[in-house]
């Protein structure tokens, strides 16, 4: 917990952009300007200068921040002060009065995100950490904490290694979230997936000692109002992706504990939606499976059935994400959703296209894609649309089944994966698909290396604007 709401002597933090420093110092006593000049503080981003009072205690802290530019999401208020939650000395702080209310909230969220550590498996996990605390307005704490908790949930789930985050543990996380928000929980496990008609999820997960699951959370902001629009979130929950019989080389398998990142994202988003009580009905569907190898593993060349009764020729067992997702998307359409959004660590091709730090966004509605992208403005996140280019659909033609799970050509792999999913979504239901990395390859302000929520702020912002 990085926040407090009461403090009698918290220290003000004064954000300063490099070129504001001179003017700021002109208005200060000589004592202060001399001190700052002698400590060679230049107000560069992440630099800080402790200003003492007459008795040698900290009077305030000057904090270097980047100049805000719309073209640079890293300069957004959420990240611009986030490094100070770990770099400042232990103590109690607050943002000085000049900072606007919205910026304070954003910066406070970033403050919490910057303090994140994944140390659950470290010996000293239970030793209390001495960290700087930020004083926030009591009436803003719940909102700030909801964002921090949503990110923390995503990061913790992704960082947790596969031996501790199999479908059964994923299910426990959903149960806890459901309990926290008085939502309904249900699931279909193992061979019941066959009788309940989720054959593709079963095929991907059946080789594992940890049976696959279709996990469902349902919530409504007003249980008596059946007219509320239904939003369905669908998450890829592949707890570990070995590639299956089309085994991944070690280098590519190394990080595949993160392949349930899509599931983690939709749970983080669900937490925000329920915490903010958005006026809607929510359904979260998680297709959880361990893409493992055993004598019963599904094989290249197999033809499997799907919930939609389209047969799929398995060209590659490593294109498993779209298989588990297609059954969940079919279910999402059966329940007449107004809007479906899925998150998935679906393709390496999306990473080649836009790199690891930008989610690729697909939609069957140009308006929806545009509006979600617009909603990312000033959130500190970037996401970018790629075309759902129907002309490439021929790449998924199979000589022996209704569709194949992967194109032989290999070009535009993120697009053909999205086109595969699109086959399982009703044309008249708005649908967006985010192909995410779910992982920071490097540490940036507020975003330590490791599991990460990506596109969450943009999508939540969109939902907040749409459902008012
Ligand atoms: N989980 C991977 C995709 C992935 C890999 C995402 C690395 C992020 C980083 C997915 O299941 C996969 O293996 N996709 C294959 C599909 C191919 C066989 C058509 C890929 O992208 O290489
Ligand atoms: Zn795979
Ligand atoms: Zn995968």
């Amino acid at each position: 917990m990085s926040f407090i709401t009461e403090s009698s002597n918290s220290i003000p933090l004064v954000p300063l952009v490099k070129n504001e420093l001179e003017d700021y110092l002109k208005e200060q006593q000589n004592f202060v300007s001399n001190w700052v000049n002698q400590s060679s503080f230049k107000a560069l981003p992440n630099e800080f200068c402790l200003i003492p009072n007459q008795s040698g205690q900290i009077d305030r802290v000057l904090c270097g921040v980047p100049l805000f530019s719309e073209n640079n999401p890293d300069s957004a208020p959420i990240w611009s002060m986030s490094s100070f939650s770990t770099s400042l000395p232990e103590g109690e702080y607050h943002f000085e009065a000049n900072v606007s209310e919205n910026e304070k909230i954003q910066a406070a969220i970033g403050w919490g995100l910057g303090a994140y550590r994944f140390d659950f498996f470290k010996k000293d996990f239970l030793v209390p950490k001495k960290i700087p605390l930020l004083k926030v307005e009591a009436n803003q704490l719940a909102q700030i904490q909801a964002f921090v908790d949503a990110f923390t949930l995503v990061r913790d789930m992704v960082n947790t290694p596969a031996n501790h985050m199999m479908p059964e543990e994923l299910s426990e996380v959903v149960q806890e979230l459901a309990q926290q928000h008085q939502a309904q929980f249900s699931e279909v496990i193992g061979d019941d997936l066959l009788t309940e008609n989720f054959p593709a999820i079963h095929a991907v997960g059946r080789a594992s000692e940890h049976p696959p699951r279709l996990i469902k959370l349902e919530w409504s902001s007003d249980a008596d109002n059946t007219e509320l629009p239904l939003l369905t979130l669908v998450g890829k929950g592949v707890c570990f992706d070995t590639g299956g019989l089309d085994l991944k080389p070690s280098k590519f398998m190394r990080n595949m504990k993160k392949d349930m990142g899509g599931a983690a994202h939709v749970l983080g988003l669900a937490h925000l939606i329920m915490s903010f009580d958005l006026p809607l009905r929510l359904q979260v569907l998680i297709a959880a499976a361990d893409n493992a190898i055993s004598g019963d593993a599904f094989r290249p060349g197999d033809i499997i059935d799907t919930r939609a009764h389209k047969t799929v020729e398995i060209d590659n067992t490593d294109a498993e994400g779209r298989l588990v997702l297609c059954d969940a998307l079919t279910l999402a359409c059966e329940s007449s959703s107004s809007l479906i959004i899925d998150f998935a660590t679906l393709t390496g091709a999306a990473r080649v296209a836009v790199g690891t730090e930008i989610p690729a966004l697909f939609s069957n509605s140009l308006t929806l894609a545009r509006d979600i992208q617009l909603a990312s403005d000033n959130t500190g996140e970037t996401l970018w649309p790629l075309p759902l280019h129907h002309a490439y659909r021929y790449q998924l033609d199979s000589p022996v089944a209704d569709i194949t799970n992967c194109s032989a050509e290999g070009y535009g792999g993120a697009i053909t994966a999205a086109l595969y999913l699109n086959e399982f979504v009703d044309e008249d239901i708005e649908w967006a698909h985010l192909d995410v990395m779910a992982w920071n390859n490097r540490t940036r302000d507020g975003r330590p290396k490791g599991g990460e929520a990506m596109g969450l702020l943009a999508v939540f912002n969109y939902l907040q604007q749409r459902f008012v």
Side-chain angles (χ1 to χ4, degrees), residues 157 160-175 185-190 193 201-202 204-216 236-241 257 260 263 267 286-292 324:
M157 288 181 74
T160 300
N163 62 327
H164 292 276
M165 189 50 72
M166 276 290 144
E168 54 273 25
E169 282 107 357
L170 196 46
S171 161
E172 277 169 31
V173 176
V174 184
Q175 289 177 53
F185 168 88
S186 60
E187 62 184 336
V188 182
I189 308 174
L193 290 166
I201 299 177
H202 185 269
V204 171
R206 73 182 186 216
S208 172
E209 297 277 327
H210 304 271
R213 301 179 184 223
L214 184 278
I215 305 168
K216 192 196 281 189
K236 170 177 172 180
V238 172
C239 292
F240 194 75
D241 184 9
K257 69 172 183 182
M260 31 55 69
L267 292 176
I286 289 174
D290 173 28
N291 188 18
V324 298

Side-chain angles (χ1 to χ4, degrees), residues 70-199:
E70 282 189 349
N71 299 324
N72 177 14
D74 284 354
S75 70
I78 190 169
W79 310 126
S80 60
M81 307 266 289
S82 58
S83 68
F84 300 115
S85 65
T86 49
S87 61
L88 288 176
E90 184 192 345
E92 296 177 355
Y93 301 90
H94 66 265
F95 294 127
E96 64 138 14
N98 276 347
V99 181
S100 78
E101 281 308 295
N102 181 52
E103 271 174 26
K104 275 186 192 161
I105 293 174
Q106 290 297 308
I109 295 168
W111 176 280
L113 297 181
Y116 177 84
R117 292 286 168 277
F118 183 68
D119 51 6
F120 183 75
F121 291 92
K122 292 267 196 192
K123 260 203 295 309
D124 61 357
F125 172 60
L126 288 174
V127 180
K129 310 281 177 305
K130 294 182 173 159
I131 53 170
L133 297 171
L134 183 69
K135 184 179 136 213
V136 298
E137 297 297 327
N139 62 356
Q140 292 168 349
L141 179 63
Q143 183 185 351
I144 293 163
Q145 196 63 50
F147 278 98
V148 176
D149 288 347
F151 269 74
T152 302
L153 179 66
V154 180
R155 290 171 174 182
D156 279 348
M157 288 181 74
V158 173
N159 286 330
T160 300
N163 62 327
H164 292 276
M165 189 50 72
M166 276 290 144
E168 54 273 25
E169 282 107 357
L170 196 46
S171 161
E172 277 169 31
V173 176
V174 184
Q175 289 177 53
E176 278 163 27
L177 190 68
Q179 221 162 42
Q180 187 186 345
H181 294 281
Q182 282 96 44
Q184 305 300 313
F185 168 88
S186 60
E187 62 184 336
V188 182
I189 308 174
D191 287 346
D192 286 350
L193 290 166
L194 293 176
T195 45
E196 302 281 331
N197 193 23
F198 297 98

Side-chain angles (χ1 to χ4, degrees), residues 275-316:
S275 301
F276 280 74
D277 210 14
L278 292 196
L280 45 80
R281 288 181 298 140
L282 172 67
Q283 174 178 238
V284 181
L285 302 175
I286 289 174
D290 173 28
N291 188 18
I293 297 177
S294 78
D296 194 29
F298 75 127
R299 313 159 192 85
D302 280 359
I303 298 176
I304 65 166
D305 199 8
T306 57
R307 184 172 184 83
H309 298 301
K310 286 183 206 246
T311 56
V312 184
E313 181 185 13
I314 305 303
D315 177 73
N316 192 315

